[in-house]
Amino acid sequence: MPPLHVLVTAWQIDWTALVITGAGAVLYGLGLRAAAAKGRRWPLWRTLAFYLLGLGSLLVLTCGFPGAYSAQLRWAFTLKSSLLLFVVPLLIGLGKPITLARAALPPGGIARLNAVLSHRLVRFLSNSMAAPLLGLALFSTFLTPLFYALRANPLAEALVTLAVPLLGLLMALPIIEEADFQRSSAFITLEFVFVFIELLIDAVPGILLRLNGQVLDHVLAAGSQPAWFPDPLRDQQLAGDLLWFICEIVDLPLIILMFMRFARSDKREARGFDDLTDQQLDQLNAEHLRRGSGRVTPP
């Protein structure tokens, strides 16, 4: 493991991350100002969570030690990419950016936001049964020579910095921003079962990295390296340990959020039934019985 002073002092400028965090900070600040102008008070803790925990963690991972050494160390790149996918989006989501946008935008802007959120591609990618598969596809490349290209190629690194947090947001926001991604309780139950299984499957690439006895990306150490650098096989094993651990430990908060989402959806549907009149309930029951018995009411 690296010495403490290396962990603290290793920094680089990641221009992609700086652009992302700068744009996010400005847009969120404009949203806060517009919401305040409309008389909407925004919780201070959500603002701090967005800026300090969300954007702050993104900068630490990309500009700090994990980003500075991601090209040389497999485990540093694995730590950066897995936390960008699973943890940073959850921390950004605590700031409720979509809810803030709804509070800040004029009616026309809200309509355009709704159009984007309801687009078929966004709905597909934000589906909790689809987005995790993309994460599994990303981690599966760690078992191939592409693992080195993702770490060492500047264009690939910039793409990872941009695309991985975006993918994570598409996975996290449907759970956190329930008002903008409403699903029925039955659909959420199906999502929950799938996500539970899929999150366990996400750990498989980490397990294979840990247990494999050869360097899978075929890149061996070259040139002089610090004394604390692990050899290539040990580096790969450490990457597998981290990926395995993070994929397993992140299950807990996601499962808790899924339970909370199901509870909100169930409560919302229960309120909808409570608002129905007795006649409407009788009609629903009659329709349900007709469908269950297979009979169709003649015209």
mmCIF file of all heavy atoms in Angstrom, residues 24 27-28 31 42 46 50 89-105 113 169 173 176-177 180:
data_model
loop_
_atom_site.group_PDB
_atom_site.id
_atom_site.type_symbol
_atom_site.label_atom_id
_atom_site.label_comp_id
_atom_site.label_asym_id
_atom_site.label_seq_id
_atom_site.Cartn_x
_atom_site.Cartn_y
_atom_site.Cartn_z
ATOM 1 N N GLY A 24 -21.825 21.333 -13.252
ATOM 2 C CA GLY A 24 -22.809 20.914 -12.260
ATOM 3 C C GLY A 24 -22.971 21.938 -11.150
ATOM 4 O O GLY A 24 -24.094 22.229 -10.706
ATOM 5 N N LEU A 27 -24.887 25.073 -12.600
ATOM 6 C CA LEU A 27 -26.300 24.796 -12.845
ATOM 7 C C LEU A 27 -27.076 24.643 -11.535
ATOM 8 O O LEU A 27 -28.199 25.142 -11.404
ATOM 9 C CB LEU A 27 -26.443 23.534 -13.694
ATOM 10 C CG LEU A 27 -25.992 23.654 -15.150
ATOM 11 C CD1 LEU A 27 -26.044 22.296 -15.840
ATOM 12 C CD2 LEU A 27 -26.857 24.663 -15.898
ATOM 13 N N TYR A 28 -26.479 23.967 -10.566
ATOM 14 C CA TYR A 28 -27.157 23.796 -9.281
ATOM 15 C C TYR A 28 -27.296 25.147 -8.578
ATOM 16 O O TYR A 28 -28.336 25.447 -7.976
ATOM 17 C CB TYR A 28 -26.374 22.822 -8.405
ATOM 18 C CG TYR A 28 -27.172 22.228 -7.268
ATOM 19 C CD1 TYR A 28 -27.975 21.105 -7.471
ATOM 20 C CD2 TYR A 28 -27.119 22.776 -5.988
ATOM 21 C CE1 TYR A 28 -28.689 20.544 -6.430
ATOM 22 C CE2 TYR A 28 -27.831 22.219 -4.942
ATOM 23 C CZ TYR A 28 -28.623 21.109 -5.172
ATOM 24 O OH TYR A 28 -29.343 20.559 -4.127
ATOM 25 N N GLY A 31 -30.043 27.014 -10.134
ATOM 26 C CA GLY A 31 -31.312 26.448 -9.677
ATOM 27 C C GLY A 31 -31.680 26.933 -8.289
ATOM 28 O O GLY A 31 -32.856 27.242 -8.011
ATOM 29 N N TRP A 42 -34.826 25.869 -0.099
ATOM 30 C CA TRP A 42 -34.171 24.588 -0.363
ATOM 31 C C TRP A 42 -33.362 24.179 0.864
ATOM 32 O O TRP A 42 -32.625 25.000 1.418
ATOM 33 C CB TRP A 42 -33.265 24.711 -1.580
ATOM 34 C CG TRP A 42 -32.832 23.382 -2.123
ATOM 35 C CD1 TRP A 42 -31.578 22.856 -2.090
ATOM 36 C CD2 TRP A 42 -33.655 22.429 -2.791
ATOM 37 N NE1 TRP A 42 -31.564 21.620 -2.687
ATOM 38 C CE2 TRP A 42 -32.821 21.330 -3.130
ATOM 39 C CE3 TRP A 42 -35.000 22.378 -3.127
ATOM 40 C CZ2 TRP A 42 -33.307 20.207 -3.782
ATOM 41 C CZ3 TRP A 42 -35.484 21.259 -3.785
ATOM 42 C CH2 TRP A 42 -34.644 20.192 -4.106
ATOM 43 N N ARG A 46 -29.134 19.495 1.756
ATOM 44 C CA ARG A 46 -29.110 18.957 0.394
ATOM 45 C C ARG A 46 -28.085 19.710 -0.456
ATOM 46 O O ARG A 46 -27.386 19.107 -1.279
ATOM 47 C CB ARG A 46 -30.490 19.045 -0.237
ATOM 48 C CG ARG A 46 -31.503 18.083 0.364
ATOM 49 C CD ARG A 46 -32.662 17.812 -0.579
ATOM 50 N NE ARG A 46 -33.632 16.893 -0.002
ATOM 51 C CZ ARG A 46 -33.505 15.579 0.001
ATOM 52 N NH1 ARG A 46 -32.433 15.023 -0.545
ATOM 53 N NH2 ARG A 46 -34.429 14.806 0.527
ATOM 54 N N PHE A 50 -24.785 17.935 -2.102
ATOM 55 C CA PHE A 50 -24.498 17.985 -3.549
ATOM 56 C C PHE A 50 -23.085 18.487 -3.806
ATOM 57 O O PHE A 50 -22.319 17.870 -4.564
ATOM 58 C CB PHE A 50 -25.517 18.885 -4.243
ATOM 59 C CG PHE A 50 -25.323 18.977 -5.735
ATOM 60 C CD1 PHE A 50 -25.864 18.019 -6.573
ATOM 61 C CD2 PHE A 50 -24.584 20.017 -6.294
ATOM 62 C CE1 PHE A 50 -25.679 18.097 -7.945
ATOM 63 C CE2 PHE A 50 -24.393 20.095 -7.666
ATOM 64 C CZ PHE A 50 -24.942 19.135 -8.500
ATOM 65 N N PRO A 89 -22.795 8.911 -7.619
ATOM 66 C CA PRO A 89 -24.180 9.255 -8.000
ATOM 67 C C PRO A 89 -25.144 9.271 -6.819
ATOM 68 O O PRO A 89 -26.065 10.106 -6.792
ATOM 69 C CB PRO A 89 -24.544 8.151 -9.002
ATOM 70 C CG PRO A 89 -23.242 7.706 -9.567
ATOM 71 C CD PRO A 89 -22.284 7.781 -8.422
ATOM 72 N N LEU A 90 -24.972 8.362 -5.863
ATOM 73 C CA LEU A 90 -25.834 8.378 -4.684
ATOM 74 C C LEU A 90 -25.640 9.664 -3.886
ATOM 75 O O LEU A 90 -26.607 10.252 -3.393
ATOM 76 C CB LEU A 90 -25.550 7.165 -3.802
ATOM 77 C CG LEU A 90 -26.001 5.800 -4.337
ATOM 78 C CD1 LEU A 90 -25.543 4.699 -3.394
ATOM 79 C CD2 LEU A 90 -27.512 5.754 -4.496
ATOM 80 N N LEU A 91 -24.390 10.130 -3.774
ATOM 81 C CA LEU A 91 -24.113 11.358 -3.031
ATOM 82 C C LEU A 91 -24.646 12.579 -3.778
ATOM 83 O O LEU A 91 -25.196 13.507 -3.174
ATOM 84 C CB LEU A 91 -22.620 11.489 -2.787
ATOM 85 C CG LEU A 91 -21.991 10.378 -1.933
ATOM 86 C CD1 LEU A 91 -20.478 10.565 -1.831
ATOM 87 C CD2 LEU A 91 -22.620 10.332 -0.549
ATOM 88 N N ILE A 92 -24.498 12.588 -5.099
ATOM 89 C CA ILE A 92 -25.082 13.675 -5.892
ATOM 90 C C ILE A 92 -26.595 13.655 -5.792
ATOM 91 O O ILE A 92 -27.251 14.700 -5.680
ATOM 92 C CB ILE A 92 -24.632 13.566 -7.367
ATOM 93 C CG1 ILE A 92 -23.139 13.884 -7.489
ATOM 94 C CG2 ILE A 92 -25.444 14.490 -8.266
ATOM 95 C CD1 ILE A 92 -22.589 13.716 -8.891
ATOM 96 N N GLY A 93 -27.170 12.460 -5.803
ATOM 97 C CA GLY A 93 -28.621 12.338 -5.728
ATOM 98 C C GLY A 93 -29.209 12.865 -4.437
ATOM 99 O O GLY A 93 -30.400 13.232 -4.403
ATOM 100 N N LEU A 94 -28.405 12.911 -3.363
ATOM 101 C CA LEU A 94 -28.902 13.472 -2.107
ATOM 102 C C LEU A 94 -29.301 14.938 -2.273
ATOM 103 O O LEU A 94 -30.136 15.449 -1.523
ATOM 104 C CB LEU A 94 -27.837 13.344 -1.019
ATOM 105 C CG LEU A 94 -27.525 11.920 -0.539
ATOM 106 C CD1 LEU A 94 -26.381 11.956 0.476
ATOM 107 C CD2 LEU A 94 -28.749 11.268 0.075
ATOM 108 N N GLY A 95 -28.696 15.623 -3.246
ATOM 109 C CA GLY A 95 -29.052 17.011 -3.510
ATOM 110 C C GLY A 95 -30.333 17.186 -4.294
ATOM 111 O O GLY A 95 -30.748 18.326 -4.531
ATOM 112 N N LYS A 96 -30.956 16.091 -4.730
ATOM 113 C CA LYS A 96 -32.204 16.121 -5.495
ATOM 114 C C LYS A 96 -32.144 17.130 -6.651
ATOM 115 O O LYS A 96 -32.916 18.091 -6.707
ATOM 116 C CB LYS A 96 -33.378 16.457 -4.579
ATOM 117 C CG LYS A 96 -33.778 15.383 -3.580
ATOM 118 C CD LYS A 96 -34.444 14.215 -4.300
ATOM 119 C CE LYS A 96 -35.066 13.237 -3.310
ATOM 120 N NZ LYS A 96 -36.338 13.699 -2.786
ATOM 121 N N PRO A 97 -31.224 16.962 -7.596
ATOM 122 C CA PRO A 97 -31.092 17.950 -8.675
ATOM 123 C C PRO A 97 -32.329 18.065 -9.560
ATOM 124 O O PRO A 97 -32.645 19.163 -10.032
ATOM 125 C CB PRO A 97 -29.882 17.447 -9.466
ATOM 126 C CG PRO A 97 -29.767 15.992 -9.118
ATOM 127 C CD PRO A 97 -30.239 15.874 -7.716
ATOM 128 N N ILE A 98 -33.026 16.966 -9.811
ATOM 129 C CA ILE A 98 -34.210 17.038 -10.663
ATOM 130 C C ILE A 98 -35.348 17.748 -9.939
ATOM 131 O O ILE A 98 -36.065 18.573 -10.529
ATOM 132 C CB ILE A 98 -34.629 15.630 -11.115
ATOM 133 C CG1 ILE A 98 -33.564 15.032 -12.022
ATOM 134 C CG2 ILE A 98 -35.969 15.672 -11.842
ATOM 135 C CD1 ILE A 98 -33.868 13.645 -12.508
ATOM 136 N N THR A 99 -35.520 17.453 -8.665
ATOM 137 C CA THR A 99 -36.538 18.148 -7.885
ATOM 138 C C THR A 99 -36.251 19.643 -7.825
ATOM 139 O O THR A 99 -37.166 20.480 -7.919
ATOM 140 C CB THR A 99 -36.607 17.572 -6.461
ATOM 141 O OG1 THR A 99 -36.881 16.173 -6.540
ATOM 142 C CG2 THR A 99 -37.699 18.247 -5.644
ATOM 143 N N LEU A 100 -34.972 20.012 -7.672
ATOM 144 C CA LEU A 100 -34.594 21.421 -7.672
ATOM 145 C C LEU A 100 -34.897 22.053 -9.028
ATOM 146 O O LEU A 100 -35.371 23.203 -9.089
ATOM 147 C CB LEU A 100 -33.108 21.566 -7.341
ATOM 148 C CG LEU A 100 -32.546 22.990 -7.382
ATOM 149 C CD1 LEU A 100 -33.250 23.875 -6.365
ATOM 150 C CD2 LEU A 100 -31.042 22.982 -7.137
ATOM 151 N N ALA A 101 -34.615 21.328 -10.097
ATOM 152 C CA ALA A 101 -34.905 21.863 -11.428
ATOM 153 C C ALA A 101 -36.400 22.128 -11.588
ATOM 154 O O ALA A 101 -36.805 23.151 -12.159
ATOM 155 C CB ALA A 101 -34.424 20.890 -12.502
ATOM 156 N N ARG A 102 -37.225 21.251 -11.086
ATOM 157 C CA ARG A 102 -38.674 21.463 -11.162
ATOM 158 C C ARG A 102 -39.096 22.692 -10.362
ATOM 159 O O ARG A 102 -40.031 23.402 -10.743
ATOM 160 C CB ARG A 102 -39.414 20.231 -10.642
ATOM 161 C CG ARG A 102 -39.399 19.045 -11.591
ATOM 162 C CD ARG A 102 -40.272 17.923 -11.038
ATOM 163 N NE ARG A 102 -40.365 16.832 -11.972
ATOM 164 C CZ ARG A 102 -41.193 16.780 -13.009
ATOM 165 N NH1 ARG A 102 -41.984 17.803 -13.251
ATOM 166 N NH2 ARG A 102 -41.214 15.728 -13.798
ATOM 167 N N ALA A 103 -38.419 22.914 -9.238
ATOM 168 C CA ALA A 103 -38.762 24.071 -8.417
ATOM 169 C C ALA A 103 -38.265 25.370 -9.023
ATOM 170 O O ALA A 103 -38.816 26.440 -8.727
ATOM 171 C CB ALA A 103 -38.179 23.897 -7.010
ATOM 172 N N ALA A 104 -37.239 25.309 -9.861
ATOM 173 C CA ALA A 104 -36.619 26.526 -10.384
ATOM 174 C C ALA A 104 -37.089 26.907 -11.779
ATOM 175 O O ALA A 104 -37.144 28.089 -12.113
ATOM 176 C CB ALA A 104 -35.096 26.349 -10.389
ATOM 177 N N LEU A 105 -37.423 25.927 -12.602
ATOM 178 C CA LEU A 105 -37.734 26.205 -14.002
ATOM 179 C C LEU A 105 -39.125 26.813 -14.176
ATOM 180 O O LEU A 105 -40.038 26.530 -13.403
ATOM 181 C CB LEU A 105 -37.639 24.908 -14.818
ATOM 182 C CG LEU A 105 -36.235 24.335 -15.030
ATOM 183 C CD1 LEU A 105 -36.319 22.955 -15.678
ATOM 184 C CD2 LEU A 105 -35.390 25.268 -15.885
ATOM 185 N N LEU A 113 -38.128 19.518 -19.595
ATOM 186 C CA LEU A 113 -37.522 18.525 -18.698
ATOM 187 C C LEU A 113 -38.338 17.233 -18.703
ATOM 188 O O LEU A 113 -37.781 16.132 -18.771
ATOM 189 C CB LEU A 113 -37.423 19.083 -17.280
ATOM 190 C CG LEU A 113 -36.898 18.123 -16.200
ATOM 191 C CD1 LEU A 113 -35.467 17.710 -16.508
ATOM 192 C CD2 LEU A 113 -36.980 18.769 -14.824
ATOM 193 N N LEU A 169 -25.779 7.806 -12.288
ATOM 194 C CA LEU A 169 -26.931 8.671 -12.015
ATOM 195 C C LEU A 169 -28.205 8.074 -12.581
ATOM 196 O O LEU A 169 -29.275 8.153 -11.970
ATOM 197 C CB LEU A 169 -26.690 10.064 -12.595
ATOM 198 C CG LEU A 169 -25.724 10.962 -11.829
ATOM 199 C CD1 LEU A 169 -25.424 12.223 -12.629
ATOM 200 C CD2 LEU A 169 -26.293 11.327 -10.462
ATOM 201 N N LEU A 173 -30.874 7.846 -9.707
ATOM 202 C CA LEU A 173 -31.949 8.834 -9.669
ATOM 203 C C LEU A 173 -33.352 8.230 -9.720
ATOM 204 O O LEU A 173 -34.264 8.754 -9.076
ATOM 205 C CB LEU A 173 -31.761 9.856 -10.788
ATOM 206 C CG LEU A 173 -30.591 10.826 -10.608
ATOM 207 C CD1 LEU A 173 -30.574 11.853 -11.741
ATOM 208 C CD2 LEU A 173 -30.663 11.536 -9.267
ATOM 209 N N ILE A 176 -33.937 7.537 -6.080
ATOM 210 C CA ILE A 176 -33.956 8.691 -5.191
ATOM 211 C C ILE A 176 -35.029 9.691 -5.594
ATOM 212 O O ILE A 176 -35.784 10.182 -4.764
ATOM 213 C CB ILE A 176 -32.572 9.370 -5.183
ATOM 214 C CG1 ILE A 176 -31.509 8.395 -4.654
ATOM 215 C CG2 ILE A 176 -32.582 10.623 -4.319
ATOM 216 C CD1 ILE A 176 -30.098 8.911 -4.769
ATOM 217 N N GLU A 177 -35.104 10.005 -6.894
ATOM 218 C CA GLU A 177 -36.051 11.002 -7.393
ATOM 219 C C GLU A 177 -37.347 10.313 -7.791
ATOM 220 O O GLU A 177 -37.739 10.303 -8.949
ATOM 221 C CB GLU A 177 -35.455 11.745 -8.595
ATOM 222 C CG GLU A 177 -34.164 12.459 -8.294
ATOM 223 C CD GLU A 177 -34.396 13.904 -7.882
ATOM 224 O OE1 GLU A 177 -35.568 14.279 -7.673
ATOM 225 O OE2 GLU A 177 -33.414 14.644 -7.785
ATOM 226 N N ASP A 180 -40.115 11.797 -10.178
ATOM 227 C CA ASP A 180 -39.865 11.961 -11.593
ATOM 228 C C ASP A 180 -39.725 10.627 -12.329
ATOM 229 O O ASP A 180 -39.671 10.602 -13.543
ATOM 230 C CB ASP A 180 -38.584 12.779 -11.807
ATOM 231 C CG ASP A 180 -38.720 14.183 -11.255
ATOM 232 O OD1 ASP A 180 -39.379 15.001 -11.908
ATOM 233 O OD2 ASP A 180 -38.197 14.441 -10.162
#
